[in-house]
Amino acid sequence: MNTWQGFEAFATTPPPTPPGTQAAPRTLEERLAYHSAFVTIRTPAIDALSRNVRTLMLLGRHQQATARPSLIVTGPATTGKTTALLQVGRTCHLAHTTRQPHPGMGHVACVPVAYVLVPPAASAKTLAAEFARFLGIPTTARMTQAQITTAVCATYAKAGVKLVLIDEIHRLNPRTTTGAESADLLKDLTERIGATFVYAGIDVTRTALFTGIRGAQLAGRAGLIDCGAFPARLGKSEPFKDLIWAMEKALDLTRHRPGSLPRLASYLHARTGGKIGSLSRLIRQAALIALLDGSERITKALLDTIRLDHLAEEHYRPRTPPSAPRRTGAEADREHRRSTL
């Protein structure tokens, strides 16, 4: 995904097709593959990110003097940050290549979106190398960070990159020397590459990224999109149950009873903490088991057998009343004597 060939393949591959739109029933293998990939549910976070990215790209189109406004997608783990980032990137890629066909590095203005992962313990040089790797810019160990950065800026401009997506931004720690240099590199790139930058990371506002002078610069330029857990209730609406309905409608199981999963909304919210990543994994895994064992439906009994990610399992602990400690004979005698005094 973090090379232009990989991202282009992702963006141009048709998404999985829900049941009901097929010309003929799918085979077992096709349905297994479908539930493994599954559909992407359009969430409020994806909608908000799409609107903001489109607006900021228009806002910064003719900006020359300073860095363009940017966005940060933040939230706990497994809340759909990377999914939202990639879906917006896919939309931008398809919109641009529809207007300007013939994608490929041999054409000018043919790589509208870049997707970069911040490496663990990133230094400015290793981060610059990740930007270079996305477009296949050759680098050597002898090259300095400044040389790599110059090559990146020139090639990104030639390729016509309009949107830069940077994932795992929480890995940067400006309180360390290497982290501070990496943060400065990002600031430099936003000023030299004519693109809108969107960052994603876990609970970014709680990290050192928003502290000190560098943090103030980032906070002053970046809007925030919060990918939090889905609440069970929000006023009169039930966002989490709506999410379950959407996932259930996308299932391709012959004996599943519609509405049976939304009726388990309280249980599912407790199991997953309202996190879309954990919910998607639970339902997809249950669907795969139902296909393999021939039951073709998802029940609470089946869901109970599935172990989720550690965060979800730590969140969900069935609360059973503790049993009363068994008293010894001597303790019972002492209690009796106190009661008769």
Side-chain angles (χ1 to χ4, degrees):
M1 192 74 73
N2 53 343
T3 64
W4 75 267
Q5 299 97 327
F7 189 87
E8 183 188 40
F10 158 77
T12 56
T13 299
T17 306
T21 59
Q22 298 291 312
R26 288 186 274 207
T27 66
L28 175 62
E29 286 302 320
E30 288 172 336
R31 290 192 294 149
L32 287 170
Y34 166 74
H35 286 98
S36 176
F38 212 48
V39 299
T40 297
I41 305 300
R42 192 81 183 182
T43 64
I46 293 178
D47 289 337
L49 184 58
S50 298
R51 289 193 305 270
N52 279 273
V53 166
R54 180 179 175 84
T55 303
L56 292 187
M57 290 179 73
L58 291 171
L59 184 64
R61 179 178 293 175
H62 302 293
Q63 188 167 329
Q64 301 292 334
T66 60
R68 290 161 172 75
S70 57
L71 283 171
I72 297 176
V73 184
T74 184
T78 71
T79 52
K81 297 178 298 298
T82 297
T83 298
L85 204 66
L86 292 176
Q87 290 306 308
V88 170
R90 168 188 270 160
T91 300
C92 178
H93 177 94
L94 293 176
H96 183 84
T97 53
T98 298
R99 293 191 301 268
Q100 298 185 24
H102 311 299
M105 279 299 293
H107 301 270
V108 177
C110 58
V111 185
V113 181
Y115 177 73
V116 177
L117 278 172
V118 176
S123 66
K125 185 173 181 178
T126 59
L127 183 55
E130 286 298 308
F131 276 83
R133 189 161 77 92
F134 182 83
L135 288 187
I137 303 169
T139 61
T140 66
R142 293 183 179 182
M143 292 178 70
T144 65
Q145 177 226 313
Q147 289 173 325
I148 298 174
T149 301
T150 298
V152 164
C153 293
T155 309
Y156 274 54
K158 183 178 179 181
V161 175
K162 302 291 188 295
L163 179 65
V164 177
L165 308 175
I166 304 178
D167 210 351
E168 308 288 350
I169 192 68
H170 58 270
R171 289 176 174 174
L172 292 183
N173 182 6
R175 291 175 180 170
T176 66
T177 301
T178 55
E181 291 172 351
S182 299
D184 288 342
L185 170 67
L186 285 180
K187 180 177 178 294
D188 186 31
L189 291 175
T190 60
E191 293 174 348
R192 296 174 62 182
I193 297 176
T196 297
F197 280 63
V198 181
Y199 312 92
I202 297 174
D203 293 331
V204 174
T205 55
R206 298 182 183 180
T207 69
L209 277 172
F210 270 24
T211 62
I213 295 175
R214 292 179 177 88
Q217 288 179 326
L218 179 61
R221 291 177 174 176
L224 213 61
I225 302 292
D226 192 1
C227 277
F230 280 70
R233 285 191 173 275
L234 188 62
K236 295 182 179 180
S237 64
E238 297 179 89
F240 189 71
K241 182 178 283 189
D242 293 340
L243 179 63
I244 297 171
W245 272 111
M247 288 190 179
E248 186 183 67
K249 288 177 182 177
L251 292 173
D252 195 353
L253 300 173
T254 58
R255 299 193 189 102
H256 183 78
R257 296 178 181 175
S260 58
L261 289 182
R263 283 194 288 272
L264 297 174
S266 297
Y267 163 77
L268 291 171
H269 197 275
R271 283 291 312 267
T272 64
K275 296 178 179 178
I276 187 173
S278 299
L279 178 67
S280 176
R281 173 178 169 177
L282 180 60
I283 291 178
R284 287 162 52 221
Q285 195 166 338
L288 292 171
I289 294 172
L291 285 169
L292 291 171
D293 66 17
S295 63
E296 294 275 353
R297 63 189 182 124
I298 299 175
T299 62
K300 184 176 181 297
L302 172 57
L303 294 168
D304 280 336
T305 66
I306 297 173
R307 296 283 295 179
L308 279 176
D309 56 274
H310 182 66
L311 282 177
E313 293 296 340
E314 283 292 299
H315 173 83
Y316 178 68
R317 293 181 180 277
R319 289 168 174 76
T320 54
S323 57
R326 186 174 296 176
R327 295 186 299 174
T328 64
E331 290 172 335
D333 289 342
R334 285 196 295 272
E335 181 65 26
H336 176 72
R337 286 196 297 272
R338 283 198 296 268
S339 65
T340 56
L341 291 178

